[in-house]
Each structure stands twice: as structure tokens, then as C-alpha cells.
Amino acid sequence: MNDIGLDLAWLLVAVPLVSGLGLLVWGKEGDRVGHLVGSVASSISFLIGAIAFIQLLTRPADDRSYSRELFTWIEAGPFHVDMGYTFDPLSGLFVLLITGVGSLIHIYSIGYMEHDARRRRFFAYLNIFIASMLTLVLASDYLVMFLGWEGVGLASYLLIGFWQHKDSAATAATKAFVINRVGDIGMALGIMVMFAQFGTTAVAPVNESISGASTAVATTLGLLLLLGACGKSAQVPLQSWLLDAMEGPTPVSALIHAATMVTAGVYLVVRSNGIYDASEIARDAVIAVGLVTLLVGAWIGCAKDDIKKALAGSTMSQIGYMMLAAGLGPAGYAFAIFHLLTHGFFKANLFLGAGSVMHGMNDDVEMRHYGALRKAMPITFVTFLFGYLAIIGFPGFSGFFSKDKIIETAFGHSFWVGLGALVGAGVTAFYMTRLMMMTFISDQRWKEDVDPHESPNVMTYPLIALGALSLLGGALLFGDWITEFLEPVVGHAEHHELAISAGLLTLIITLVVAAGVALGYFLYGTRPIAGEMPADGSVSIFARAGRHELYGNELNDAVVVRPTRHLTRFLVFMDGKGVDGFVTGLADRLGDASQILRKPQTGFVRSYALSFFGGTAVVVLALLAVTLG
């Protein structure tokens, strides 16, 4: 009875899944209440998750893992997969983030999608997205996790391309789907290696058995899973889909960036901590990917004038911080999850704030058309300000606690890794200050026919809640609570001695952030801002590269798309002229031969009799010749 919340944790997935599928088939009569049904379903999942989490906290620290097998999914010889779930400190935190932030996004969407004729379908897709992500984080088997993994990919495709009447949205959805399939190949191959090596794909047995496997196996598994993580979390080199995904409705951007899809890769690495602890090469690869991505994403964020794409570059960078922390092993796993949680608060706040700005600006996403919106949209401005202070790491706000811990741990691992993370913090402060200046502080630049206005309460209330979480989210680390809470899952974190005191390092980080803020204010707060984007030729090579997302699309086109297109054309030619040519050519030759052979077949009996008589005469003459000879 005491574990009833944990016993019913399967409802976390079932409720939004049933709601989503039901909304899809309900029909037009459901259009009036579909948005309410979808929002209630997500809220019920949050309530169930909160009850289960509280029950988990009442257990002793060494007994905070609850697993339940619902039924046998696959039974084929030695291959056995149970459909079951594990509710432990790691999955529990994710459940609260997914359902809590997800529910706020659902409520916000009621106002944002009010006039969309397909609003019921939109909420159905949101519910399916939530259910898929919950399946992913609760799964006690990698194959069940892969089921949720693919569900997230499908839901993101449907939501990114929700406005498929726009060619750009349809193209962006297809691009996200295809690039994620590349990463999924890595995860699928990793699952195959697990079964081949350990005879199981269950999460706990695999991570326990890896210590008895060779380093080569651990490295192979780590790199394959990292490939999958790069696809879902938009990390280099599979990052190019993320900025195009902004073509979807803004609540979709918030859900993907804050609570679901891009966090899945970080979860996979941390959940597979046994594998990465067994391979230093795999951990170093995670560090390299995270460090490069956090700098690349920050660079892109500096150059984009589209408010959503600037925030998307920011997401790349912040997820890079999480991946970097996850690559640091037991010293960084908890901090990766801590920053993931705080990022979920402030990034949902920022994206929904951007949606509120767009709502008041006739869906214009160009920051050069904004300016002075703090007066017209005071609630959006204040809540966005809280998200801004959190992401730059202003003292007291959530990002200050989580990001500083990652930078501190990175310096404990390597000076150069720590320096890269520190530079990223300064650049983050610069591009976010640029965004604030261009949108809310600088002179008015909107057109005369635009009338900026505050969003309705159904949109501003979620913003207020997320603004509060952006401020208070750092409380999770008070007394090292989160590190102690996650220790049974990710292991004990050894303390790294730094060359300087932690307090001095915090001061240095704060000064670097302040320098980024000052530079952003000087360039965009004290100077006039052009109302239109300058031509590429009039900006620096760095800004030009950032606008083109460091030419990632061009690189993909040169390395993957064009060679694949040429290979496809060659294979089509070989199929048409080679394989088909041989088959059809042989058939043609046989047909020609049949035409020759059919000529003696006249159909006249007298011709056949003459031929028979002639043949008989030839045989008789041949026999006589042999006999007489």
C-alpha cells in the first residue's frame, strides 16, 4: 500500500498516450475540448509522478530504486525483453521535469494555438511526445528505451512539420527525422552488441556486466551510444537539424529544447554510466563532443537575428555543457543532470517568452524589428529577464549554481577543458545580452502597422511559474542534495583539487560573465541597431560563419548529400543498364531465337509430312552409307 504511487507509475505513460491517440481519432466534435483534455492528461501524469517521487524520498537512501515488469514483450529463444519500468532518483527527476514543464507548455499552448484549426491534433501530438519521452526515461531495458527513443523522433517530426503547408516546415521536419535516423543507427548497433556480448539488453545487467568485458567492447558501446546521443541532443556533427526545427510552433520549440528531445542524449550517457566508466576513450569522446558543441552553439547564437534561432544555438551550447559534464565521469554526472534541470526551467521560460513576443508582434521573429518591448509587454519582459539572468549564470539564479559547478569540475579534469567551458560562459553572456538589448531595451524599430501587446493570462501564468523556477531552481544543490540523491545511480563523485580556491574560481567566472554582458551592452545597448540584417559582405567573417551555422549544412551537403546522390544515380544506372539490361537482353535474345525457330512452323500438314519424309530419307541414306562402307 505504501508503494501505490510507484506501483501505478505505468500510468505516467498510459494517460498521455491514451489521451493523444484518443484525440487523434475523436473527430471534429472533440475540437472544442481537445486542448483541455490534452492539458489535463499531462497534468495528471505530473501529479502521479510527484506522488511516486515523494514515496521514493521516504525510502532509505540505499533502497531508492523501484522496478516493475508489466509483461513480456519479446520472447525468442535466448532473447527476452520485458516491458517494464524503473523509477529511481535519475528517472524520477526526469519525470518531474518532463511532466511539470510539459504541463506548463500545454497550458501556454491553449492561448498560443487558440486560432489554429488543427489545435486538437496539435495537443494529441504533444501528449504522444510526453508519453514517448517518459517511456524513454523509465525503461528498464535498452530496447524499451529505444521504443521511446523512436517515439520521440516520430512526435518531433509531426510537431516540427505541424504547419506542413509551409515548405520550410515540411523540409525541416524531414531533415530532423533523417539526421536523427543516422544517430539511431548507432544506438541500434549498440543494443545488438549488448545482446551479443552479455545475452541481455536490460539496463542494469548490461552496466553491471561491462566490468567483465574487454576495454574494446566498452569503447565500442560507448561510441555507438554517443552517436545516438549526438543525433537526439543535436551535438556536433549531427546538430544541423536543430535550428531548422524552429519552423514548428513555438511551444514545440520549448518542449523539444527544455523537457524532452534534446535532453534524451544526456540521459542516455548518464544512464549508461557503467559503460563510460569502463572506457576512458569513450569518456574523452563525450568531453570532446560537448566542448566543441558548447563553443559552436555559442558562436551561432551571437550571429542570429531570428530570436528563436538565437535561442536554438543557445540550446546547442547548453546541452554541450551537459555532455561535457557527463564525459567527466562520476565527478560530473550529477552536475550534468543538475544543469539539465535548471536549463529545462530557464530555456522553457525563454522560448515561451519568445513566443509571447511573437504573439504581440504578428509572428515576426526578426529581432531587428523589435526594440523597447519592455514597455508594451511588461510581464513577458520581467519573466524573460529572469530566464536571461539564469542562463548567463547571474549569482543567485539557477544557472549560476549548475553551470559554475560544471566549469569547476572541468578545471579539475583539465585546464584546457575548463578554459573552453569558461570562454563559453563569457560568450553566452554576450549573445544573451545582445538578444535582450535588441528585443526589450534598445530603441523602437517595429513598423507602424504593428501594435505590440501583452499575451493573455493563459500564456503569462506559465511564464511567471517558469520565471520563478529560473530563480529558485538552484536550490537543488544546497547542501549538495542532488549529488547525494543521485549517488546510488551514478556513483560517488571524487572531489578534484583545484590550483585555486573554489571561491576565487567563482569570482573569475563571474568577471568573465560580466565582461560578456558589458560587451553586449556596449555594442547593442549604446549604439543604433539597423532595422534590417546587413549583407554578408558588410560583416566580419566570424559573423558570416555564424549566420551560416558554421557552414554545417554546406558540409553535410558536400560530405553526405552529394556523394549519396551520385552513388544513388550510379546504382540506378547499374540497375537499369546492368542488372535489368542483362535480364531484358537475355529475354530479347531468346525472343529473337524463337522468331527464327517458329518460321518452319507453318501449320500446314503437307509441309510437316514432307519434312518427315525428307528426314526419314536422310536417316535411311546415312544407315546405308555406314553399312556399305
Side-chain angles (χ1 to χ4, degrees), residues 574-622:
M574 291 299 297
D575 181 61
K577 300 298 184 181
V579 178
D580 287 353
F582 173 77
V583 174
T584 57
L586 179 61
D588 290 342
R589 300 295 75 77
L590 291 173
D592 294 340
S594 69
Q595 292 297 323
I596 297 172
L597 293 173
R598 70 188 293 269
K599 289 181 179 180
Q601 310 300 317
T602 62
F604 296 110
V605 175
R606 59 180 177 272
S607 297
Y608 296 156
L610 180 62
S611 299
F612 179 76
F613 177 78
T616 303
V618 170
V619 172
V620 170
L621 290 174

Short mmCIF file of all heavy atoms in Angstrom, two decimals, residues 574-622:
data_model
loop_
_atom_site.label_atom_id
_atom_site.label_comp_id
_atom_site.label_asym_id
_atom_site.label_seq_id
_atom_site.Cartn_x
_atom_site.Cartn_y
_atom_site.Cartn_z
N MET A 574 23.34 1.29 -62.85
CA MET A 574 23.76 -0.11 -62.87
C MET A 574 22.55 -1.04 -62.84
O MET A 574 22.54 -2.09 -63.49
CB MET A 574 24.67 -0.40 -61.68
CG MET A 574 26.03 0.26 -61.77
SD MET A 574 26.95 -0.29 -63.23
CE MET A 574 27.14 -2.03 -62.88
N ASP A 575 21.53 -0.63 -62.10
CA ASP A 575 20.32 -1.46 -62.03
C ASP A 575 19.60 -1.46 -63.38
O ASP A 575 19.15 -2.51 -63.85
CB ASP A 575 19.39 -0.93 -60.94
CG ASP A 575 18.13 -1.77 -60.81
OD1 ASP A 575 18.26 -2.97 -60.50
OD2 ASP A 575 17.03 -1.24 -61.02
N GLY A 576 19.53 -0.27 -64.01
CA GLY A 576 18.82 -0.17 -65.27
C GLY A 576 19.59 -0.75 -66.44
O GLY A 576 19.04 -1.52 -67.24
N LYS A 577 20.89 -0.38 -66.51
CA LYS A 577 21.68 -0.82 -67.66
C LYS A 577 22.43 -2.13 -67.40
O LYS A 577 22.76 -2.84 -68.34
CB LYS A 577 22.70 0.26 -68.02
CG LYS A 577 22.07 1.60 -68.38
CD LYS A 577 21.19 1.49 -69.62
CE LYS A 577 20.65 2.87 -70.02
NZ LYS A 577 19.77 2.78 -71.22
N GLY A 578 22.69 -2.42 -66.14
CA GLY A 578 23.43 -3.63 -65.81
C GLY A 578 22.52 -4.81 -65.54
O GLY A 578 22.33 -5.69 -66.38
N VAL A 579 21.91 -4.82 -64.35
CA VAL A 579 21.06 -5.94 -63.95
C VAL A 579 19.86 -6.07 -64.88
O VAL A 579 19.63 -7.12 -65.50
CB VAL A 579 20.58 -5.77 -62.49
CG1 VAL A 579 19.66 -6.91 -62.10
CG2 VAL A 579 21.78 -5.71 -61.55
N ASP A 580 19.08 -4.96 -65.01
CA ASP A 580 17.91 -5.02 -65.90
C ASP A 580 18.33 -5.23 -67.35
O ASP A 580 17.64 -5.91 -68.12
CB ASP A 580 17.10 -3.72 -65.78
CG ASP A 580 16.33 -3.65 -64.47
OD1 ASP A 580 16.33 -4.66 -63.74
OD2 ASP A 580 15.74 -2.60 -64.18
N GLY A 581 19.48 -4.63 -67.73
CA GLY A 581 19.95 -4.80 -69.10
C GLY A 581 20.27 -6.25 -69.42
O GLY A 581 19.94 -6.76 -70.50
N PHE A 582 20.91 -6.94 -68.44
CA PHE A 582 21.23 -8.35 -68.65
C PHE A 582 19.96 -9.19 -68.76
O PHE A 582 19.80 -10.01 -69.67
CB PHE A 582 22.11 -8.87 -67.52
CG PHE A 582 22.35 -10.35 -67.56
CD1 PHE A 582 23.26 -10.89 -68.46
CD2 PHE A 582 21.64 -11.20 -66.72
CE1 PHE A 582 23.47 -12.26 -68.51
CE2 PHE A 582 21.85 -12.56 -66.76
CZ PHE A 582 22.78 -13.09 -67.66
N VAL A 583 19.04 -8.96 -67.84
CA VAL A 583 17.81 -9.76 -67.82
C VAL A 583 16.98 -9.50 -69.08
O VAL A 583 16.55 -10.44 -69.77
CB VAL A 583 16.99 -9.46 -66.55
CG1 VAL A 583 15.64 -10.17 -66.61
CG2 VAL A 583 17.76 -9.89 -65.32
N THR A 584 16.74 -8.22 -69.39
CA THR A 584 15.92 -7.91 -70.57
C THR A 584 16.65 -8.28 -71.85
O THR A 584 16.02 -8.70 -72.84
CB THR A 584 15.55 -6.42 -70.58
OG1 THR A 584 16.76 -5.64 -70.55
CG2 THR A 584 14.69 -6.06 -69.39
N GLY A 585 17.99 -8.12 -71.87
CA GLY A 585 18.76 -8.50 -73.06
C GLY A 585 18.68 -9.99 -73.33
O GLY A 585 18.51 -10.43 -74.48
N LEU A 586 18.82 -10.80 -72.25
CA LEU A 586 18.71 -12.25 -72.42
C LEU A 586 17.32 -12.63 -72.93
O LEU A 586 17.17 -13.48 -73.82
CB LEU A 586 18.98 -12.93 -71.08
CG LEU A 586 18.89 -14.46 -71.06
CD1 LEU A 586 19.91 -15.08 -72.03
CD2 LEU A 586 19.10 -14.97 -69.63
N ALA A 587 16.30 -11.96 -72.38
CA ALA A 587 14.92 -12.23 -72.83
C ALA A 587 14.76 -11.85 -74.31
O ALA A 587 14.10 -12.57 -75.07
CB ALA A 587 13.93 -11.47 -71.97
N ASP A 588 15.36 -10.72 -74.70
CA ASP A 588 15.25 -10.30 -76.10
C ASP A 588 15.92 -11.30 -77.03
O ASP A 588 15.41 -11.62 -78.11
CB ASP A 588 15.87 -8.91 -76.28
CG ASP A 588 15.03 -7.82 -75.63
OD1 ASP A 588 13.83 -8.08 -75.34
OD2 ASP A 588 15.57 -6.72 -75.39
N ARG A 589 17.12 -11.79 -76.63
CA ARG A 589 17.82 -12.74 -77.49
C ARG A 589 17.04 -14.05 -77.63
O ARG A 589 16.98 -14.65 -78.70
CB ARG A 589 19.21 -13.04 -76.91
CG ARG A 589 20.14 -11.82 -76.77
CD ARG A 589 20.55 -11.17 -78.09
NE ARG A 589 19.50 -10.37 -78.71
CZ ARG A 589 19.16 -9.14 -78.31
NH1 ARG A 589 19.76 -8.60 -77.26
NH2 ARG A 589 18.22 -8.47 -78.94
N LEU A 590 16.46 -14.49 -76.51
CA LEU A 590 15.64 -15.70 -76.59
C LEU A 590 14.42 -15.47 -77.47
O LEU A 590 13.97 -16.37 -78.21
CB LEU A 590 15.19 -16.12 -75.18
CG LEU A 590 16.29 -16.66 -74.26
CD1 LEU A 590 15.75 -16.88 -72.86
CD2 LEU A 590 16.86 -17.95 -74.82
N GLY A 591 13.89 -14.25 -77.41
CA GLY A 591 12.77 -13.92 -78.27
C GLY A 591 13.16 -13.95 -79.74
O GLY A 591 12.41 -14.44 -80.59
N ASP A 592 14.37 -13.42 -80.05
CA ASP A 592 14.85 -13.45 -81.44
C ASP A 592 15.01 -14.88 -81.92
O ASP A 592 14.65 -15.23 -83.07
CB ASP A 592 16.18 -12.70 -81.56
CG ASP A 592 16.01 -11.20 -81.29
OD1 ASP A 592 14.87 -10.70 -81.39
OD2 ASP A 592 17.03 -10.54 -80.97
N ALA A 593 15.59 -15.71 -81.02
CA ALA A 593 15.78 -17.11 -81.40
C ALA A 593 14.44 -17.80 -81.65
O ALA A 593 14.30 -18.62 -82.57
CB ALA A 593 16.56 -17.84 -80.32
N SER A 594 13.47 -17.46 -80.85
CA SER A 594 12.15 -18.08 -81.04
C SER A 594 11.53 -17.66 -82.36
O SER A 594 10.80 -18.44 -83.00
CB SER A 594 11.23 -17.72 -79.87
OG SER A 594 10.89 -16.35 -79.90
N GLN A 595 11.81 -16.42 -82.78
CA GLN A 595 11.27 -15.97 -84.07
C GLN A 595 11.86 -16.78 -85.22
O GLN A 595 11.18 -17.09 -86.19
CB GLN A 595 11.59 -14.47 -84.26
CG GLN A 595 10.84 -13.54 -83.30
CD GLN A 595 9.34 -13.60 -83.50
OE1 GLN A 595 8.86 -13.72 -84.64
NE2 GLN A 595 8.61 -13.54 -82.40
N ILE A 596 13.16 -17.10 -85.07
CA ILE A 596 13.81 -17.90 -86.12
C ILE A 596 13.25 -19.33 -86.12
O ILE A 596 12.96 -19.91 -87.16
CB ILE A 596 15.34 -17.91 -85.92
CG1 ILE A 596 15.88 -16.48 -86.08
CG2 ILE A 596 16.02 -18.86 -86.89
CD1 ILE A 596 17.36 -16.34 -85.72
N LEU A 597 13.09 -19.89 -84.94
CA LEU A 597 12.64 -21.27 -84.83
C LEU A 597 11.19 -21.45 -85.25
O LEU A 597 10.77 -22.54 -85.64
CB LEU A 597 12.84 -21.77 -83.40
CG LEU A 597 14.29 -21.92 -82.94
CD1 LEU A 597 14.35 -22.27 -81.47
CD2 LEU A 597 15.01 -22.99 -83.78
N ARG A 598 10.38 -20.39 -85.13
CA ARG A 598 8.97 -20.53 -85.44
C ARG A 598 8.67 -20.47 -86.95
O ARG A 598 7.57 -20.82 -87.39
CB ARG A 598 8.14 -19.47 -84.73
CG ARG A 598 8.35 -18.07 -85.25
CD ARG A 598 7.63 -17.06 -84.36
NE ARG A 598 6.20 -17.20 -84.43
CZ ARG A 598 5.41 -16.54 -85.31
NH1 ARG A 598 5.96 -15.73 -86.18
NH2 ARG A 598 4.11 -16.71 -85.31
N LYS A 599 9.68 -20.02 -87.75
CA LYS A 599 9.43 -19.88 -89.19
C LYS A 599 9.07 -21.22 -89.85
O LYS A 599 8.19 -21.26 -90.71
CB LYS A 599 10.65 -19.25 -89.87
CG LYS A 599 10.81 -17.77 -89.52
CD LYS A 599 12.02 -17.15 -90.22
CE LYS A 599 12.13 -15.66 -89.87
NZ LYS A 599 13.30 -15.04 -90.54
N PRO A 600 9.76 -22.34 -89.48
CA PRO A 600 9.35 -23.62 -90.11
C PRO A 600 7.97 -24.10 -89.65
O PRO A 600 7.39 -24.99 -90.27
CB PRO A 600 10.44 -24.59 -89.66
CG PRO A 600 11.59 -23.74 -89.26
CD PRO A 600 10.99 -22.51 -88.70
N GLN A 601 7.47 -23.54 -88.58
CA GLN A 601 6.17 -23.98 -88.05
C GLN A 601 5.06 -23.25 -88.80
O GLN A 601 4.51 -22.27 -88.33
CB GLN A 601 6.10 -23.72 -86.55
CG GLN A 601 7.27 -24.24 -85.76
CD GLN A 601 7.42 -25.74 -85.90
OE1 GLN A 601 6.44 -26.47 -85.85
NE2 GLN A 601 8.65 -26.19 -86.10
N THR A 602 4.74 -23.80 -90.03
CA THR A 602 3.77 -23.12 -90.91
C THR A 602 2.33 -23.43 -90.57
O THR A 602 1.42 -22.70 -90.94
CB THR A 602 4.02 -23.52 -92.38
OG1 THR A 602 3.81 -24.94 -92.50
CG2 THR A 602 5.45 -23.19 -92.79
N GLY A 603 2.08 -24.63 -89.96
CA GLY A 603 0.70 -25.04 -89.68
C GLY A 603 0.07 -25.89 -90.78
O GLY A 603 -1.07 -26.34 -90.62
N PHE A 604 0.81 -26.14 -91.88
CA PHE A 604 0.27 -26.98 -92.97
C PHE A 604 0.74 -28.41 -92.79
O PHE A 604 1.94 -28.68 -92.71
CB PHE A 604 0.73 -26.46 -94.33
CG PHE A 604 0.21 -25.06 -94.64
CD1 PHE A 604 1.05 -23.97 -94.67
CD2 PHE A 604 -1.15 -24.86 -94.90
CE1 PHE A 604 0.57 -22.70 -94.95
CE2 PHE A 604 -1.63 -23.60 -95.20
CZ PHE A 604 -0.78 -22.51 -95.20
N VAL A 605 -0.21 -29.39 -92.84
CA VAL A 605 0.11 -30.81 -92.61
C VAL A 605 1.01 -31.34 -93.73
O VAL A 605 1.93 -32.12 -93.47
CB VAL A 605 -1.18 -31.64 -92.53
CG1 VAL A 605 -0.86 -33.14 -92.42
CG2 VAL A 605 -2.04 -31.18 -91.35
N ARG A 606 0.74 -30.91 -94.96
CA ARG A 606 1.56 -31.42 -96.07
C ARG A 606 3.02 -30.99 -95.91
O ARG A 606 3.93 -31.73 -96.28
CB ARG A 606 1.01 -30.93 -97.41
CG ARG A 606 0.95 -29.43 -97.58
CD ARG A 606 0.38 -29.09 -98.98
NE ARG A 606 0.23 -27.66 -99.18
CZ ARG A 606 -0.81 -26.95 -98.87
NH1 ARG A 606 -1.85 -27.57 -98.31
NH2 ARG A 606 -0.86 -25.66 -99.10
N SER A 607 3.27 -29.80 -95.35
CA SER A 607 4.65 -29.37 -95.14
C SER A 607 5.31 -30.24 -94.09
O SER A 607 6.48 -30.64 -94.21
CB SER A 607 4.67 -27.90 -94.70
OG SER A 607 4.15 -27.07 -95.70
N TYR A 608 4.54 -30.55 -93.01
CA TYR A 608 5.10 -31.39 -91.96
C TYR A 608 5.38 -32.79 -92.49
O TYR A 608 6.39 -33.42 -92.15
CB TYR A 608 4.15 -31.46 -90.76
CG TYR A 608 3.91 -30.13 -90.07
CD1 TYR A 608 2.75 -29.90 -89.32
CD2 TYR A 608 4.85 -29.10 -90.16
CE1 TYR A 608 2.52 -28.71 -88.69
CE2 TYR A 608 4.62 -27.89 -89.54
CZ TYR A 608 3.47 -27.68 -88.81
OH TYR A 608 3.25 -26.50 -88.20
N ALA A 609 4.46 -33.33 -93.37
CA ALA A 609 4.66 -34.68 -93.95
C ALA A 609 5.89 -34.72 -94.83
O ALA A 609 6.68 -35.67 -94.81
CB ALA A 609 3.41 -35.08 -94.74
N LEU A 610 6.05 -33.66 -95.64
CA LEU A 610 7.24 -33.58 -96.49
C LEU A 610 8.51 -33.53 -95.65
O LEU A 610 9.51 -34.20 -95.96
CB LEU A 610 7.15 -32.36 -97.41
CG LEU A 610 8.33 -32.14 -98.36
CD1 LEU A 610 8.46 -33.34 -99.32
CD2 LEU A 610 8.14 -30.85 -99.17
N SER A 611 8.48 -32.76 -94.58
CA SER A 611 9.65 -32.67 -93.69
C SER A 611 9.94 -34.00 -93.04
O SER A 611 11.10 -34.43 -92.94
CB SER A 611 9.39 -31.62 -92.60
OG SER A 611 9.18 -30.36 -93.17
N PHE A 612 8.85 -34.72 -92.64
CA PHE A 612 9.03 -36.03 -92.02
C PHE A 612 9.63 -37.02 -93.02
O PHE A 612 10.55 -37.77 -92.70
CB PHE A 612 7.67 -36.54 -91.52
CG PHE A 612 7.74 -37.88 -90.88
CD1 PHE A 612 8.24 -38.05 -89.59
CD2 PHE A 612 7.30 -39.02 -91.57
CE1 PHE A 612 8.29 -39.30 -89.01
CE2 PHE A 612 7.37 -40.27 -91.00
CZ PHE A 612 7.86 -40.41 -89.70
N PHE A 613 9.09 -36.99 -94.28
CA PHE A 613 9.61 -37.88 -95.32
C PHE A 613 11.07 -37.58 -95.63
O PHE A 613 11.92 -38.47 -95.75
CB PHE A 613 8.76 -37.75 -96.59
CG PHE A 613 9.27 -38.58 -97.73
CD1 PHE A 613 9.03 -39.96 -97.77
CD2 PHE A 613 10.01 -38.01 -98.78
CE1 PHE A 613 9.52 -40.74 -98.83
CE2 PHE A 613 10.48 -38.79 -99.82
CZ PHE A 613 10.24 -40.15 -99.85
N GLY A 614 11.38 -36.30 -95.72
CA GLY A 614 12.77 -35.91 -96.01
C GLY A 614 13.72 -36.34 -94.90
O GLY A 614 14.82 -36.83 -95.16
N GLY A 615 13.29 -36.17 -93.67
CA GLY A 615 14.13 -36.56 -92.53
C GLY A 615 14.34 -38.06 -92.51
O GLY A 615 15.46 -38.54 -92.23
N THR A 616 13.27 -38.79 -92.80
CA THR A 616 13.39 -40.26 -92.81
C THR A 616 14.36 -40.70 -93.91
O THR A 616 15.18 -41.61 -93.70
CB THR A 616 12.01 -40.90 -93.04
OG1 THR A 616 11.11 -40.44 -92.00
CG2 THR A 616 12.09 -42.40 -93.04
N ALA A 617 14.27 -40.07 -95.08
CA ALA A 617 15.17 -40.41 -96.19
C ALA A 617 16.61 -40.17 -95.82
O ALA A 617 17.51 -40.98 -96.12
CB ALA A 617 14.78 -39.60 -97.43
N VAL A 618 16.87 -39.06 -95.13
CA VAL A 618 18.24 -38.75 -94.72
C VAL A 618 18.77 -39.80 -93.76
O VAL A 618 19.91 -40.26 -93.87
CB VAL A 618 18.29 -37.34 -94.09
CG1 VAL A 618 19.66 -37.10 -93.45
CG2 VAL A 618 18.01 -36.28 -95.13
N VAL A 619 17.94 -40.23 -92.84
CA VAL A 619 18.38 -41.24 -91.87
C VAL A 619 18.66 -42.56 -92.57
O VAL A 619 19.68 -43.25 -92.29
CB VAL A 619 17.29 -41.42 -90.77
CG1 VAL A 619 17.65 -42.61 -89.88
CG2 VAL A 619 17.15 -40.15 -89.93
N VAL A 620 17.78 -42.96 -93.51
CA VAL A 620 17.96 -44.22 -94.23
C VAL A 620 19.24 -44.19 -95.06
O VAL A 620 20.05 -45.14 -95.06
CB VAL A 620 16.75 -44.52 -95.13
CG1 VAL A 620 17.04 -45.69 -96.07
CG2 VAL A 620 15.53 -44.80 -94.28
N LEU A 621 19.47 -43.10 -95.76
CA LEU A 621 20.70 -42.98 -96.56
C LEU A 621 21.93 -43.03 -95.69
O LEU A 621 22.96 -43.61 -96.05
CB LEU A 621 20.66 -41.68 -97.36
CG LEU A 621 19.63 -41.63 -98.51
CD1 LEU A 621 19.59 -40.24 -99.13
CD2 LEU A 621 19.97 -42.68 -99.57
N ALA A 622 21.85 -42.43 -94.51
CA ALA A 622 23.00 -42.45 -93.61
C ALA A 622 23.30 -43.85 -93.12
O ALA A 622 24.45 -44.28 -93.04
CB ALA A 622 22.73 -41.52 -92.41
#
